[in-house]
Amino acid sequence: MISQSWLSLSQLEQLVGSFLQTYPCEAVAEVTYCPTKEKMKELVEQYLPIYGWNEEKVSAFWKKMDPRAVAFTLRNPYQLGLRIPLAIGIRSAAVSYSQEELVSIIRDHEYIHAQDWFGTIPINSRRRITLSNDERLSDKTIKAITEVRAYNHQLHQMPNEWKDKTICKAATAGYNQYYSELQQTRNITDNNYEKRLINDFLRTLNHL
């Protein structure tokens, strides 16, 4: 059993530095610690050069991120399904989690985002979101579907004894938030293609 105690900074850096070697994933190019805006700038310039980063853009991106967020996956909107590995950044909020919890956040949640973008986003056994149809959907819908998929997978990988832990409660809240967003969009959208796709996706889930 891995210790449930919080990691020291050196332990966190060691865990992140060896994470991809310990938990290989063809959809992930690297998992790197990004505690500062400068480190994040290096990562986005390497993996998202299409945005022409400057100090103003980097600062805006940094400020937009939830300070409580532990990890993020960088997704190029033009590379969906092209089998190009993605980068995952780990933020300083990770020091508030145990090693087991960080494995859950990175492997069982962020890896799902990377796999969806590396391949294509499954809706059901017949339908997927790809570069050929993603423009028919709102960015909000695509984000909600990918978050529901990631939270759903993460929650199903958690041991039963985690049900009262903060990480489980937060993941459940995240799942419910994005599930509700999809329901709302389905009910109000005039986009019949989007409405049918959301319906198909929601039918595959056992709502938590």
Side-chain angles (χ1 to χ4, degrees):
M1 176 69 71
I2 300 173
S3 171
Q4 284 291 312
S5 62
W6 291 359
L7 300 175
S8 67
L9 180 57
S10 61
Q11 288 173 324
L12 173 60
E13 291 175 338
Q14 182 178 2
L15 172 66
V16 173
S18 61
F19 199 91
L20 194 54
Q21 182 178 357
T22 306
Y23 304 100
C25 178
E26 67 173 346
V28 179
E30 69 173 285
V31 180
T32 190
Y33 187 45
C34 291
T36 64
K37 183 174 68 175
E38 290 69 31
K39 184 64 179 177
M40 191 196 69
K41 181 175 183 288
E42 295 176 11
L43 200 65
V44 296
E45 285 180 336
Q46 179 179 353
Y47 288 95
L48 295 177
I50 60 170
Y51 294 115
W53 298 97
N54 55 35
E55 284 300 322
E56 183 178 353
K57 289 182 179 180
V58 170
S59 293
F61 186 62
W62 180 260
K63 290 177 181 177
K64 184 179 179 181
M65 299 184 78
D66 186 338
R68 299 167 297 178
V70 174
F72 58 91
T73 300
L74 296 178
R75 287 165 274 196
N76 185 322
Y78 303 106
Q79 294 179 350
L80 172 60
L82 299 186
R83 302 186 68 79
I84 298 173
L86 293 82
I88 295 173
I90 309 301
R91 304 191 70 202
S92 55
V95 297
S96 298
Y97 292 83
S98 71
Q99 183 169 336
E100 279 189 327
E101 290 169 339
L102 287 176
V103 170
S104 171
I105 291 167
I106 303 169
R107 183 194 64 191
D108 298 335
H109 187 102
E110 296 301 325
Y111 272 24
I112 303 305
H113 289 322
Q115 289 164 355
D116 280 353
W117 220 255
F118 179 81
T120 48
I121 305 168
I123 295 303
N124 57 23
S125 60
R126 297 176 295 103
R127 304 186 73 178
R128 306 180 81 88
I129 299 175
T130 71
L131 279 178
S132 66
N133 65 1
D134 68 329
E135 291 187 354
R136 301 180 71 179
L137 305 168
S138 68
D139 290 343
K140 180 180 179 181
T141 291
I142 294 175
K143 177 177 175 59
I145 287 172
T146 58
E147 289 296 346
V148 166
R149 280 182 41 75
Y151 279 122
N152 186 56
H153 179 80
Q154 183 184 7
L155 285 163
H156 279 93
Q157 299 306 308
M158 288 183 182
N160 290 333
E161 57 265 28
W162 281 23
K163 63 181 180 179
D164 293 323
K165 291 174 69 71
T166 299
I167 186 174
C168 184
K169 292 178 180 179
T172 301
Y175 177 96
N176 288 333
Q177 172 192 336
Y178 288 106
Y179 188 100
S180 295
E181 285 186 11
L182 288 172
Q183 289 181 312
Q184 292 168 4
T185 299
R186 176 195 60 188
N187 293 337
I188 66 175
T189 184
D190 293 326
N191 181 337
N192 288 328
Y193 180 87
E194 186 171 52
K195 187 188 296 288
R196 289 193 300 269
L197 185 139
I198 292 173
N199 264 329
D200 285 347
F201 177 65
L202 294 180
R203 288 193 191 102
T204 69
L205 302 168
N206 292 318
H207 186 45
L208 299 174

